[in-house]
């Protein structure tokens, strides 16, 4: 079918061929190659009138078609319009409108939407005569379901169209109000976003200032820039600050010395250790990161390179006490 589509891209039969899908394998066919097959073609725009929802859909679609007709042709009654031939000017006007709609329909990417039986636009209604035939056919079905009365000039469906037109203003006003509310909500959310962003920046600066002040307050009288606190791993383990050191048993903690030192960067501490004369990899601990972990409810922190696991809350307490003078 792909070859046919390439040679005759505008042939209507291509749409039918495309809907059949790929060519099946021989084993998928029923019977042998001499088996005869019959194809029953049905109008894909036809609706199953046994379904009540389809009847309502047909009613709505017919209103759409009638409005198209009344835009082009006028008359004393609707019945008279249906049975009066359109002049050349009206035919040309309708042809232009239909061409524009057909082009718009072909631009749709959703095949289900294009081929839906519920679609309002029918490409077969390419002349006013065909449009009227379509309308009359629909009205006959609607009459059978007692939704319209020909002897009353199909007043039921015309009244429904009139109500739709009258309600359009209400719909537009309601939609305008909804859009206004949505706009106001977006504006409020934008203001809140800006406010919270400024608040976060403010608190970050506040925390930095507090840490900086604590660092200044914790300096020795001699003006030393670096302070050091030294503990055995066993003592830190007893205090609960140290949870574990991977590959080092707790029985060997007494032989491990851990040292905390302040650095030239405010709120940054250097943690180093020695085990039987051998140095353990140094670790940088950022006080602000510890506070963030505490806020998030994280209880322990593991330093992957050294395998050291510490208790976040108790380490904060230790650093506050030894370096900032906060009990």
């Amino acid at each position: 079918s792909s070859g046919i589509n390439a040679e005759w891209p505008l042939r209507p039969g291509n749409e039918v061929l495309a809907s059949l899908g790929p060519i099946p394998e021989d084993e998928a066919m029923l019977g042998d190659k001499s088996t005869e097959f019959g194809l029953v073609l049905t109008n894909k725009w036809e609706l199953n009138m046994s379904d009540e929802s389809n009847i309502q859909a047909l009613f709505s679609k017919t209103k759409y078609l009638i409005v198209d007709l009344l835009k082009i042709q006028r008359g004393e009654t609707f019945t008279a319009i249906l049975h009066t031939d359109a002049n050349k000017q009206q035919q040309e006007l309708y042809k232009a409108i239909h061409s524009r709609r057909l082009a718009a329909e072909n631009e749709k990417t959703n095949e289900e939407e294009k081929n839906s039986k519920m679609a309002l636009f029918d490409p077969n209604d390419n002349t006013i005569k065909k449009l009227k035939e379509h309308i009359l056919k629909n009205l006959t079905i609607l009459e059978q379901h007692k939704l319209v009365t020909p002897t009353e000039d199909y007043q039921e469906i015309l009244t429904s169209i009139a109500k739709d037109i009258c309600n359009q203003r209400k719909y537009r006003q309601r939609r305008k109000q909804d859009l206004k509310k949505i706009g106001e909500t977006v504006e409020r959310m934008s203001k809140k976003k800006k406010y919270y962003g400024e608040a976060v920046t403010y608190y970050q600066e506040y925390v930095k200032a507090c840490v900086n002040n604590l660092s200044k307050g914790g300096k020795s009288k001699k003006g030393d820039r670096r302070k050091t606190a030294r503990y055995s791993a066993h003592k830190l383990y007893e205090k609960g600050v140290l949870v574990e050191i991977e590959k080092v048993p707790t029985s060997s903690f007494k032989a491990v010395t851990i040292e905390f030192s302040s650095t030239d960067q405010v709120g940054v501490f250097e943690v180093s250790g020695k085990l039987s004369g051998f140095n353990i990899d140094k670790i940088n601990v950022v006080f602000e990161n510890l506070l963030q972990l505490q806020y998030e409810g994280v209880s322990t922190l593991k330093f992957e390179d050294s395998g050291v696991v510490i208790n976040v809350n108790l380490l904060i307490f230790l650093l506050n006490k030894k370096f900032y003078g906060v009990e």
Side-chain angles (χ1 to χ4, degrees), residues 125-140:
D125 298 333
N126 54 4
T127 65
I128 294 182
K129 181 180 179 181
K130 289 184 178 180
L131 174 64
K132 289 180 179 180
E133 290 174 351
H134 193 170
I135 292 173
L136 286 167
K137 180 181 178 181
N138 288 0
L139 290 174
T140 300

Side-chain angles (χ1 to χ4, degrees), residues 169-313:
R169 182 171 175 271
K170 294 180 181 178
Y171 295 150
R172 282 194 291 266
Q173 288 178 338
R174 187 179 304 169
R175 186 164 58 248
K176 185 177 180 181
Q177 291 174 353
D178 291 341
L179 289 173
K180 182 179 178 182
K181 289 180 181 178
I182 292 173
E184 292 172 350
T185 301
V186 171
E187 185 178 358
R188 285 197 302 269
M189 293 179 68
S190 297
K191 289 181 179 179
K192 283 187 177 181
K193 180 181 178 181
K194 181 180 178 181
Y195 168 77
Y196 288 127
E198 292 174 349
V200 168
T201 302
Y202 168 78
Y203 286 122
Q204 287 175 340
E205 295 297 328
Y206 175 75
V207 169
K208 289 180 181 178
C210 290
V211 172
N212 191 31
N213 291 334
L214 288 172
S215 299
K216 291 178 181 178
K219 289 182 180 180
S220 64
K221 294 181 180 179
K222 294 182 180 180
D224 295 336
R225 295 184 62 81
R226 296 173 65 92
K227 290 184 63 176
T228 301
R230 189 178 293 106
Y231 301 91
S232 69
H234 178 71
K235 187 174 183 179
L236 291 176
Y237 182 72
E238 288 184 332
K239 290 176 175 289
V241 177
L242 178 65
V243 178
E244 68 170 317
I245 303 176
E246 288 185 351
K247 299 181 181 179
V248 178
T250 55
S251 59
S252 302
F253 277 6
K254 289 184 178 181
V256 179
T257 301
I258 296 179
E259 187 177 279
F260 299 89
S261 303
S262 61
T263 65
D264 293 335
Q265 291 181 275
V266 176
V268 179
F269 300 91
E270 187 180 86
V271 182
S272 59
K274 290 183 179 181
L275 172 60
S276 301
F278 295 96
N279 292 329
I280 299 177
D281 292 339
K282 292 182 180 181
I283 304 167
N284 282 335
V285 177
V286 181
F287 193 72
E288 187 175 344
N289 291 347
L290 293 176
L291 293 175
Q292 181 64 32
L293 291 173
Q294 184 186 52
Y295 172 78
E296 294 174 357
V298 179
S299 58
T300 59
L301 173 63
K302 179 180 179 180
F303 300 98
E304 297 293 342
D305 294 338
S306 62
V308 174
V309 181
I310 54 93
N311 182 293
V312 174
N313 291 334

